[in-house]
Amino acid sequence: MSPSPSPSPAVPPARTLVIDSATAACSVALLEGNTLIGGTFRVLGRGHAEALVPMIAQLPERGKADRIAVALGPGSFTGVRVGLAAARALALAWGAEIVGYPTLALVAAMAREAFGEGQVDVAMTGGHGEWFVESFDAAGASTAPLASLKPDAAAQALTAQRVTGNEAEALVAARGHGTAQPLLPDARAFAALPTAHLTPDISPLYGRAPDARLPGGTLPG
């Protein structure tokens, strides 16, 4: 009787490089499936363009992956574009798949992972004194469109008991109720993000119109 053939080895999970430079924080992570194998998180404010590539290079195997996931924003116009440019260049060089994800969705996922399931509002620093805001249900689905609002308008629009993001404490103070759970997006938490938020469309999510305009008042592409 012939011996039974050895089972075929399991196909290893895809390796993913995650790039998040859309806000004051800059972070990168390398995952094997959902397992984090390396990552760095830094709060920079500015200087993402100079910091990002060295951070990727310090990852195991210099961050090389089958898939690249990049934050689409909203956040800093410069930060969003720095991350997208790096992701596109590496995807081309490595022949890797590229996907994008909304920054606020990752922050909401981080809050659920750290503090438990439940509805959560996200409030992040925007431009011109406004906040980027969005609401998410207990499963991580968006329940209200992304918006850029003045603090008083955000205080009226957002009603969830739990608030996260780097403006969480300010929002809770402005409306006089709720629990603030301040967070900045961290690529190392990517495994907590529902896959429904991943998209092959890597167009930036600015959350508001760009400040800069071309001659004649035309918005940049």
Side-chain angles (χ1 to χ4, degrees):
M1 183 175 179
S2 300
S4 299
S6 299
S8 299
V11 176
R15 182 169 286 194
T16 303
L17 169 65
V18 188
I19 297 171
D20 200 310
S21 61
T23 68
C26 187
S27 59
V28 297
L30 192 63
L31 294 90
E32 195 79 50
N34 287 327
T35 301
L36 178 68
I37 59 176
T40 305
F41 171 89
R42 295 170 61 188
V43 179
L44 298 176
R46 296 179 180 274
H48 293 61
E50 294 78 16
L52 182 58
V53 171
M55 288 170 66
I56 294 171
Q58 291 170 4
L59 292 170
E61 298 182 33
R62 302 182 66 84
K64 189 171 183 180
D66 309 298
R67 179 178 69 166
I68 300 172
V70 59
L72 301 177
S76 156
F77 290 162
T78 300
V80 170
R81 288 193 172 276
V82 164
L84 287 172
R88 289 187 179 111
L90 292 174
L92 181 62
W94 296 339
E97 175 191 6
I98 184 169
V99 295
Y101 64 87
T103 303
L104 272 61
L106 177 61
V107 176
M110 291 170 58
R112 291 193 306 277
E113 183 175 55
F115 306 110
E117 299 294 331
Q119 296 180 333
V120 62
D121 290 334
V122 182
M124 299 287 297
T125 302
H128 301 290
E130 296 185 347
W131 296 339
F132 295 123
V133 299
E134 194 168 357
S135 300
F136 297 85
D137 66 18
S142 176
T143 59
L146 168 67
S148 181
L149 301 176
K150 293 291 186 183
D152 55 348
Q156 294 180 18
L158 302 183
T159 60
Q161 176 66 17
R162 299 168 60 205
V163 184
T164 190
N166 68 328
E167 296 291 358
E169 292 174 330
L171 176 58
V172 168
R175 69 184 189 184
H177 67 88
T179 300
Q181 298 163 337
L183 290 171
L184 282 166
D186 187 341
R188 297 173 299 177
F190 176 77
L193 180 71
T195 57
H197 287 294
L198 301 182
T199 174
D201 180 1
I202 56 168
S203 302
L205 296 175
Y206 287 131
R208 59 185 176 86
D211 298 329
R213 292 176 181 267
L214 300 173
T218 304
L219 292 174

